[in-house]
Amino acid sequence: MKIVFIIVAVIVVVFTLIYVNHKIQLKKEEKTLTPLGQMVTVDGQDMCVYTGGTGDVTLVFLSGGGTCAPILDFQSLDSLLLDDYKVAVVERFGYGFSDVTDKSRRIDSVLEDTRQALKEAGCEAPYVLCPHSMSGLEALYWAQTYPDEVQAIIGLDMAVPEYYADMKVNMPMLKLTGTAARIGVTRLIPGVWEGDAVKRGTLSEKEKETYKALFYRKTATVTMLNEYQTVRENARMVEKRPIPKIPMLLFVSDGTGTGFDTDTWREIPKKYLADAENGQIITLDCPHYVQDYEYEKIADDMKEFLRTEMQ
């Protein structure tokens, strides 16, 4: 019993020191956290929306699940589009500079937050939606629910409902990750914060420091966990409705980082677009965060697609 007590005491002391260090580092990192977008009030809490660029078409970028810094994640790509289009990046609750909230993450609730945030930021519909990964469900639901607000969808390795048909979400592991992040255990893992936007994109050193600070604040937040818990239900809500009758261009990766093999990952969106009136697919030989790898090609192909479809 004495040995057990000593072991427990050592563990408590170690984790206390890790937590105290985490809090000290969070305080130091605050100086790097000036919001990169406009802070707007939605349902009594703050959301961050980046806006920029000029043009008659507004591109709205929506991040995938768990992306800690959406504005920075899309920057390598959207910076190439600012001369031709208006650009907006919406950071959902629990992401980037937006507040963490424990509210419902059913797809209808998420969508209303996004629509209100854009309205408060002065961005008016209609939009061309540019979702990455899980937010593809939100984009499809948006077009199904408010067809007059969506001109087209340009998917950045975006999700379609079938991806979630047999997906098993390991909530205990996700919750453990969230707890480890809040305690500060993630700080002990060298380079863990260096996402694809940092390693592959065009971020400056200052922007990388901001990304790092956001990673340690916005990893597996309560809001993100709520999204994971409802994602299969959200997929079913989209699947029950007809495919939107709008132009769609889907950039599809090789599946690396998704848990799917390449052939399966690429076949599912092809099946989804089989009934589309105007659907196109461009395959890319890169991992899931395509906007951080093939941003130049994607920007060029987006412009060509929009020149054709937005005439």
Side-chain angles (χ1 to χ4, degrees), residues 50-108:
Y50 165 80
T51 57
T54 57
D56 297 327
V57 176
T58 300
L59 310 178
V60 176
F61 288 85
L62 306 169
S63 73
T67 302
C68 64
I71 291 173
L72 291 174
D73 181 60
F74 286 120
Q75 183 171 297
S76 298
L77 173 58
D78 68 38
S79 62
L80 302 177
L81 302 166
L82 296 175
D83 290 341
D84 300 291
Y85 310 101
K86 294 178 183 176
V87 169
V89 181
V90 180
E91 294 191 320
R92 298 194 299 279
F93 283 125
Y95 291 73
F97 293 94
S98 297
D99 287 345
V100 174
T101 175
D102 197 22
K103 66 185 296 190
S104 168
R105 292 294 80 189
R106 271 177 45 116
I107 198 167
D108 46 359

Side-chain angles (χ1 to χ4, degrees), residues 2-293:
K2 188 173 182 180
I3 293 174
V4 171
F5 176 78
I6 293 173
I7 292 173
V8 171
V10 169
I11 292 173
V12 170
V13 170
V14 168
F15 276 95
T16 299
L17 291 174
I18 290 172
Y19 180 72
V20 170
N21 175 67
H22 181 50
K23 287 296 184 180
I24 292 172
Q25 297 306 316
L26 289 176
K27 187 66 176 177
K28 289 181 179 178
E29 290 161 357
E30 285 181 0
K31 64 179 181 295
T32 70
L33 289 176
T34 301
L36 299 175
Q38 178 182 350
M39 301 304 297
V40 299
T41 301
V42 175
D43 198 19
Q45 295 179 290
D46 289 338
M47 287 180 67
C48 187
V49 181
Y50 165 80
T51 57
T54 57
D56 297 327
V57 176
T58 300
L59 310 178
V60 176
F61 288 85
L62 306 169
S63 73
T67 302
C68 64
I71 291 173
L72 291 174
D73 181 60
F74 286 120
Q75 183 171 297
S76 298
L77 173 58
D78 68 38
S79 62
L80 302 177
L81 302 166
L82 296 175
D83 290 341
D84 300 291
Y85 310 101
K86 294 178 183 176
V87 169
V89 181
V90 180
E91 294 191 320
R92 298 194 299 279
F93 283 125
Y95 291 73
F97 293 94
S98 297
D99 287 345
V100 174
T101 175
D102 197 22
K103 66 185 296 190
S104 168
R105 292 294 80 189
R106 271 177 45 116
I107 198 167
D108 46 359
S109 177
V110 173
L111 175 56
E112 294 311 313
D113 289 345
T114 300
R115 294 176 68 239
Q116 185 63 30
L118 287 168
K119 180 180 178 181
E120 295 296 328
C123 297
E124 297 182 357
Y127 312 112
V128 173
L129 304 181
C130 305
H132 174 241
S133 195
M134 186 171 71
S135 64
L137 298 177
E138 181 183 358
L140 293 169
Y141 188 77
W142 196 338
Q144 292 167 336
T145 308
Y146 302 103
D148 293 341
E149 295 184 6
V150 182
Q151 294 174 294
I153 293 176
I154 299 177
L156 303 170
D157 219 26
M158 80 176 209
V160 296
E162 189 177 337
Y163 282 130
Y164 298 101
D166 299 313
M167 179 177 288
K168 293 179 174 60
V169 180
N170 190 340
M171 288 307 302
M173 180 57 69
L174 289 170
K175 289 179 179 179
L176 181 61
T177 299
T179 300
R182 285 188 290 277
I183 292 174
V185 174
T186 49
R187 292 184 184 272
L188 304 179
I189 307 173
V192 68
W193 64 273
E194 295 178 340
D196 289 336
V198 173
K199 294 187 287 187
R200 308 288 306 202
T202 60
L203 302 184
S204 67
E205 290 304 314
K206 182 178 179 180
E207 289 164 344
K208 290 178 182 179
E209 286 302 310
T210 300
Y211 187 101
K212 180 179 180 180
L214 287 171
F215 174 86
Y216 288 125
R217 281 168 167 76
K218 298 296 174 68
T219 291
T221 63
V222 169
T223 320
M224 293 175 184
L225 296 181
N226 289 346
E227 286 182 346
Y228 296 136
Q229 285 182 313
T230 58
V231 67
R232 293 184 68 182
E233 176 187 354
N234 290 340
R236 287 191 293 268
M237 291 175 68
V238 174
E239 191 173 28
K240 290 177 182 178
R241 299 185 177 196
I243 186 170
K245 296 182 178 180
I246 55 173
M248 286 191 277
L249 171 64
L250 306 188
F251 293 95
V252 181
S253 77
D254 63 12
T256 302
T258 66
F260 290 80
D261 63 80
T262 299
D263 290 341
T264 303
W265 182 255
R266 290 178 172 174
E267 184 61 27
I268 289 174
K270 288 180 182 178
K271 288 171 59 179
Y272 186 78
L273 289 187
D275 297 325
E277 292 185 358
N278 186 359
Q280 305 174 41
I281 285 181
I282 295 177
T283 57
L284 302 171
D285 293 321
C286 69
H288 183 46
Y289 275 75
V290 295
Q291 63 269 23
D292 297 320
Y293 286 81

